Amino acid sequence: AFYFAIKEINKDSQLLPNVTLGFHIYNALASDHFTLWSTLLWLCGSPRQIPNYHCQTHSKFIAILAGTAAAFSAETGTLLELYKFPQVTYGPFDPSLSDKDQYPSLYQMAPKDSILVHAITSLLMHFGWTWVAVFVSDDLKGEQFLRDLEAEMLKKGICVALTEKLPATQIMYASSDIIFMSRIRVSSANVHILYGEIRSLITVDISAVYFLTTGKVWIMTAKWDIVVYETDHMLHSFHGSFSFSPHKGEVPGFRHFLQTTNPSQFPEDFYFSKLWLSMFHCSLPGSQCGAIDVCPPNTSLELLPGNIDVMTMSDSSYFIYNAVYAVAHVLHKMLLEQTENSEQPGLLPWQLHPYLKKIEFKNSAGYSIFLDGKRQHVAQYDIQNTLNFPAGLSLLVKGPLDQGLVIKEEIIEWPLGFTEIPHSVCSKSCAPGFTKVPQEERPVCCFTCVFCPERHVSNQTDAEQCSQCPKHEYPNRNRDRCLPKTVDCLSFEDPLGMALNLIALCFSVLTALILGIFVKHRDTAIVKANNRTLSYTLLISLLLCFLCSLLFIGRPHRITCILQQMTFGLVFTVAVSSVLAKTITVVLAFKVTAPGRRMRNLLISGAPNYIIPICTLIQLTLCGIWMGTNPPYIDTDVHSEHGHIIIVCNKGSLTAFYCVLGYLGFLALLSFTVAFLARNLPDTFNEAKFLTFSMLVFCSVWVTFLPVYHSSKGKVMVAMEVFSILASSAGLLGCIFAPKCYIILTRSANNSLTSLKKRKNVNGNGLSKHSN
């Protein structure tokens, strides 16, 4: 590329007309000693290095193009600065060399790589690689790159599994410390990032020969030629690697120059002859190489093996091409100004600096070139994929990185061991429906997947947290999306509602039949005993109790919600107060024996019958206060049943509800107590024992109801309340009226006055006459 640029400029009639550019080439070894030696040799022009003396009178040097290593440019720059010699470097951009206070005469052709870390993290994110190892050169530039990369990866949720500092070689291909390569094999990361100066990269290149590392994807921050040369064997550690190279245009004519050039065109250049001898194993005609064959006339660099990529312009070649043109344009402008000012042409190196700082031109590829550090281009990158074929060939596949990441995945060749996009993660991704939980004392990329809790979902991979479904929706079985809930209630079509409805109707019909039996046999002794009117009242209230349970089944409305509690409280109050009245009647009937006593007058006057309206009036007052302050209303239960919104009646004021229920409990407990005390009275038509047992059943049902009711939800809660109503009503009906119906229907002989007298004579006791 350097020769090509010189040849183009010297043939160009517009650029430096009548001026021929010449050059000297000095070898820059990877050694501080040889760097200073070669620099002094150039300055003095003599094998004896005498500072401040120049022994060459026939050569006029105007500028220096320095090599790829930043350390070399810094060493030569410190010495050249004493003479204000301009130095243009064609190596990778180095922030330390841009310090104009320390290196005012040094210019860098390479653009700033400030967005390199963004480009690398974009590639990592594109393939989902979040667990990577980083290898950097052991210098300030490597440390700065590592800090910037870690900061950028932290923003993107990418973690560093391993960090390794690369040792630098001091002498080309000398034995190096390659122990660090052994740690690559045991690295849990499948993706390795490599960044460093040429000396560190040589170390990696040499190590790769001894430590074949397969199954790892290498991401290199520059395509350096030495690594490409190592692909001449079938298996190599860098097969399938990616490299980021500053984007550069194709220089017209450069490929043709490579195809047609040969050492005979540059007889003074020893390196051309050495290249032909090394690559083609032949020598030029007329050479004194003995048994070495003479190269055919058509020998060309294009015929080199595919593992040596000479036909593609490398980064350093592109920058050195631009560097030659930059110096040429500066010289052209200076000579024009001197000609216009009628000055004698005479150029000194220090005079180039003002022009180098301001120079701007377009190269033959159409890209703007300038050297002003404050106006440095922000680099765009080509992504290259290094391949090797079965014969050991390599190929570079380019994908432009322009205004974002563009990857041609269909032409990517992956390293050995991978048939598809490799995975490089600390933990496998959490599927939708799961959330990530960080592992203690490990990087954020290492986590465990936990199933979303109840009523929560996550609809994306690697969700940080689960989101709660709205009240009207519920999560599906996989917890990855919310589904609309079905509006439901304890309806008549529901199996549970249908069963309770059937039970209520059956008991209602049974109660009506018993009432009919009592009406039909109203003149029999057993019906007339213990107040016939109270029996009718109790049966009618029990019938209403069974029917009121139907108000709890079906879709609730505001009216039905109010009627549920009002009807329940009043009809049960009538039923329990009827039992209390019957119990008091039994006690008065057997305890009052002397005529004319006040208690006898109470019995004859029917005073127990007033118990029912008094007790009912108290309950009605409580219900009125309840309905006037905080009545029941329609409510929804969205949590009790999965996937359903249950429409229920909210009690409104729980205090009022428990007051109504507590009042019923008080009446039931009072009835049970009175009946229990009267259980041993003479048993001829005495129902005290039956009343005691019926109250025991009633109280047991409702005492059991309270804890079960509070532990139930949704339709089960409503069903539990309906069941308690039916069970307690059935207990009263069965315990009080079943024995009487048995006697009426099957023992009619015992249901007469004659039988009563016989039993009176046998037992020695009788039944006092009382009001029926």
Side-chain angles (χ1 to χ4, degrees), residues 523-646:
D523 295 326
T524 59
I526 196 169
V527 175
K528 296 163 82 176
N530 294 299
N531 200 317
R532 180 169 52 190
T533 304
L534 291 177
S535 296
Y536 293 160
T537 304
L538 180 57
L539 284 171
I540 294 173
S541 63
L542 288 177
L543 176 62
L544 295 176
C545 287
F546 287 122
L547 293 176
C548 84
S549 64
L550 300 179
L551 293 172
F552 292 83
I553 305 174
R555 189 180 183 91
H557 299 282
R558 180 175 177 82
I559 300 300
T560 56
C561 288
I562 295 176
L563 288 177
Q564 283 179 8
Q565 307 305 326
M566 286 281 291
T567 306
F568 162 73
L570 293 177
V571 297
F572 263 87
T573 300
V574 174
V576 176
S577 59
S578 298
V579 174
L580 178 61
K582 288 176 70 66
T583 307
I584 293 176
T585 300
V586 172
V587 173
L588 292 178
F590 283 94
K591 291 296 182 180
V592 180
T593 56
R597 296 185 60 179
R598 183 179 301 175
M599 294 183 65
R600 181 180 179 85
N601 293 334
L602 292 174
L603 181 63
I604 295 174
S605 63
N609 295 336
Y610 293 103
I611 293 176
I612 299 175
I614 294 174
C615 294
T616 305
L617 182 61
I618 295 174
Q619 186 69 286
L620 184 62
T621 303
L622 292 176
C623 290
I625 296 174
W626 182 6
M627 300 303 143
T629 55
N630 190 7
Y633 57 90
I634 299 175
D635 197 5
T636 56
D637 183 357
V638 297
H639 302 306
S640 61
E641 292 190 25
H642 183 70
H644 291 79
I645 299 177
I646 308 301

Side-chain angles (χ1 to χ4, degrees), residues 3-211:
Y3 273 103
F4 177 63
I6 295 290
K7 182 180 179 181
E8 276 192 333
I9 293 170
N10 287 336
K11 286 185 177 181
D12 192 344
S13 60
Q14 301 298 324
L15 184 62
L16 291 177
N18 303 320
V19 175
T20 301
L21 284 182
F23 57 89
H24 279 190
I25 295 179
Y26 287 80
N27 192 16
L29 296 177
S31 167
D32 296 340
H33 170 74
F34 282 107
T35 298
L36 294 175
W37 179 84
S38 60
T39 306
L40 285 174
L41 177 63
W42 171 75
L43 286 172
C44 297
S46 171
R48 294 184 61 189
Q49 291 82 31
I50 306 174
N52 299 324
Y53 283 87
H54 186 64
C55 300
Q56 294 186 115
T57 59
H58 63 280
S59 299
K60 294 182 180 180
F61 299 107
I62 201 69
I64 296 174
L65 306 185
T68 57
F72 174 82
S73 298
E75 291 167 2
T76 58
T78 303
L79 184 58
L80 295 174
E81 181 59 34
L82 299 174
Y83 305 96
K84 304 299 180 181
F85 262 100
Q87 179 184 183
V88 182
T89 66
Y90 54 89
F93 183 85
D94 193 298
S96 62
L97 298 181
S98 62
D99 184 0
K100 288 303 178 181
D101 293 332
Q102 189 172 2
Y103 306 107
S105 301
L106 191 147
Y107 305 89
Q108 299 189 74
M109 289 302 309
K112 291 181 179 179
D113 56 358
S114 56
I115 67 166
L116 179 60
V117 293
H118 300 279
I120 293 175
T121 52
S122 297
L123 182 67
L124 297 176
M125 294 299 295
H126 178 81
F127 292 112
W129 296 329
T130 59
W131 190 242
V132 298
V134 182
F135 297 82
V136 297
S137 55
D138 192 7
D139 52 26
L140 294 176
K141 187 177 180 182
E143 292 179 0
Q144 181 63 44
F145 172 80
L146 182 60
R147 286 195 299 269
D148 295 341
L149 183 64
E150 288 180 336
E152 184 65 21
M153 291 196 302
L154 182 62
K155 298 177 184 177
K156 305 295 184 180
I158 303 172
C159 301
V160 178
L162 171 68
T163 301
E164 191 69 42
K165 297 292 182 66
L166 302 175
T169 59
Q170 299 301 318
I171 301 176
M172 182 73 75
Y173 291 107
S175 59
S176 304
D177 182 11
I178 57 176
I179 300 176
F180 73 94
M181 290 293 289
S182 61
R183 289 193 282 271
I184 295 177
R185 294 180 176 177
V186 298
S187 171
S188 59
N190 289 330
V191 175
H192 293 167
I193 298 175
L194 184 59
Y195 180 88
E197 287 283 2
I198 187 66
R199 297 179 183 182
S200 300
L201 302 182
I202 292 173
T203 301
V204 179
D205 180 56
I206 297 173
S207 304
V209 177
Y210 302 100
F211 289 86

Side-chain angles (χ1 to χ4, degrees), residues 231-283:
T231 63
D232 57 355
H233 48 279
M234 284 187 62
L235 296 177
H236 63 90
S237 299
F238 302 102
H239 169 67
S241 63
F242 293 91
S243 61
F244 284 83
S245 176
H247 181 67
K248 50 188 175 292
E250 184 176 352
V251 176
F254 181 65
R255 188 175 186 88
H256 181 263
F257 174 77
L258 294 175
Q259 293 171 343
T260 57
T261 192
N262 60 70
S264 62
Q265 299 174 10
F266 307 96
E268 76 283 357
D269 194 330
F270 166 74
Y271 285 101
F272 267 100
S273 299
K274 185 177 180 181
L275 176 64
W276 251 246
L277 180 62
S278 174
M279 296 301 173
F280 301 111
H281 306 289
C282 62
S283 62

